[in-house]
Amino acid sequence: MKDKIRKAATALRESKNAVIFTGAGISVESGIPSFRGTGGLWSKYDPRYLELHYFYQHPEESWKVLKEIFYDFMAGAEPNPAHYAIALLEKKGFVKFVITQNIDNLHQLAGSKTVYEFHGSIRNLICTNCWQRFESQSVKLDPLPPRCPQCGGLLKPDLVFFSEMIPETVSRRSFEAAEKADVMVLVGTTGEVMPASLIPHTAKDRNNALIIEINPEESLYTTPLTDIFLQGRAGEILPELAGETISDNSEKE
Ligand code: APR
């Protein structure tokens, strides 16, 4: 593994446009279960509660589950060493962007500056009538469903629900970053959900990016796409990779 970490670190040091692409696995060591795999959220909760049409037809029932999954325990989660390692690599100039499928805001809390949240974030709620956004903390989630303080409309978490379009700006910026990437580090994602899962393929197809993957298990990327597979937990591997990449006093010019 040491050799592979060294090879990955060399690639990051020599890169001009390194991008990090993260999924739920990077937040597992912050206490947030992933969606799939043993103990995953979709084995406990029916994914229909994150389906847009079901939400509109059953707002109260959906909100009860969404509050439990995304607000009751996710809101208290803290970044783990993997998030901090990525923020340090960005600060030292070795990483340009983070594209995350996660909605937990942990990259920003760890200090990452340029984070494209492909599936939105739990930070805000949005009114489905007047489209006004509100900080989640400023809205009482009791009684449910929460109503818009401006117009009384139904409030919805500002996340991308299943069968909902990805916001145009974040989609364009993410794919543009992928097209230009010369190195892409995939952290903690099965690669099962479109269109997010196309991002690493875009990096490889458009720019023949070197793909480094960090995951305890193989994913849909490992065989067809991954060049360097660092098998293990993000909280262990990323700090080691960052340490190897950043020697003392070295910053990208
Ligand atoms: N470190 C790194 N990876 C880990 C760790 C860990 N400590 N623990 C688990 N993993 C890996 C799992 O092996 C799995 O490959 O994280 C991945 C989690 O996969 P998913 O739960 O499918 O998460 P993700 O790929 O982000 O899902 C994509 O699906 O439900 C939607 O919108 C949701 O953004 C999510 C999307």
Side-chain angles (χ1 to χ4, degrees), residues 51-69:
E51 213 288 320
L52 195 61
H53 309 297
Y54 192 87
F55 173 79
Y56 278 124
Q57 282 147 13
H58 310 83
E60 189 172 339
E61 186 194 348
S62 301
W63 252 110
K64 276 204 186 83
V65 175
L66 296 169
K67 179 173 180 295
E68 209 172 291
I69 305 181

Side-chain angles (χ1 to χ4, degrees), residues 70-177:
F70 296 123
Y71 297 90
D72 288 353
F73 75 67
M74 195 178 271
E78 297 285 321
N80 68 61
H83 296 101
Y84 288 112
I86 290 173
L88 184 61
L89 282 166
E90 181 192 29
K91 185 161 167 269
K92 295 281 188 180
F94 293 101
V95 158
K96 292 271 185 280
F97 310 96
V98 178
I99 304 169
T100 187
Q101 300 170 85
N102 302 339
I103 55 169
D104 53 33
N105 196 37
L106 294 184
H107 282 298
Q108 290 91 330
L109 288 177
S112 285
K113 298 282 176 267
T114 309
V115 182
Y116 297 144
E117 293 173 307
F118 205 73
H119 291 150
S121 150
I122 53 170
R123 263 191 319 278
N124 298 315
L125 305 179
I126 186 166
C127 176
T128 57
N129 179 48
C130 67
W131 304 113
Q132 179 83 13
R133 279 187 172 79
F134 303 90
E135 289 239 326
S136 307
Q137 272 126 346
S138 70
V139 176
K140 252 169 69 50
L141 296 181
D142 177 23
L144 293 175
R147 291 280 162 196
C148 172
Q150 303 273 62
C151 74
L154 169 65
L155 289 180
K156 167 185 171 294
D158 195 13
L159 318 173
V160 177
F161 278 45
F162 289 123
S163 72
E164 189 173 8
M165 290 289 287
I166 305 291
E168 197 280 329
T169 313
V170 74
S171 177
R172 182 168 37 78
R173 287 184 179 159
S174 300
F175 281 99
E176 278 170 2

Side-chain angles (χ1 to χ4, degrees), residues 23-25 29 34-36 42 101 119 188-190 193 215-216 233-234:
E29 290 155 274
S34 58
F35 290 98
R36 295 168 189 84
W42 297 145
Q101 300 170 85
H119 291 150
T189 179
T190 44
V193 172
N215 197 320
R233 298 180 322 150

Side-chain angles (χ1 to χ4, degrees), residues 21-30 32-38 40-42 47 50 70 80 82 100-103 118-119 159-162 186-194 196-197 213-221 230 232-238:
F21 178 66
T22 64
I26 194 170
S27 299
V28 164
E29 290 155 274
S30 295
I32 301 176
S34 58
F35 290 98
R36 295 168 189 84
T38 35
L41 285 170
W42 297 145
L50 208 53
F70 296 123
N80 68 61
T100 187
Q101 300 170 85
N102 302 339
I103 55 169
F118 205 73
H119 291 150
L159 318 173
V160 177
F161 278 45
F162 289 123
L186 317 183
V187 187
T189 179
T190 44
E192 290 201 16
V193 172
M194 299 269 277
S197 57
E213 182 178 11
I214 298 171
N215 197 320
E217 292 164 29
E218 295 211 351
S219 71
L220 293 177
Y221 299 116
L230 304 175
R233 298 180 322 150
E236 277 159 31
I237 291 185
L238 264 164

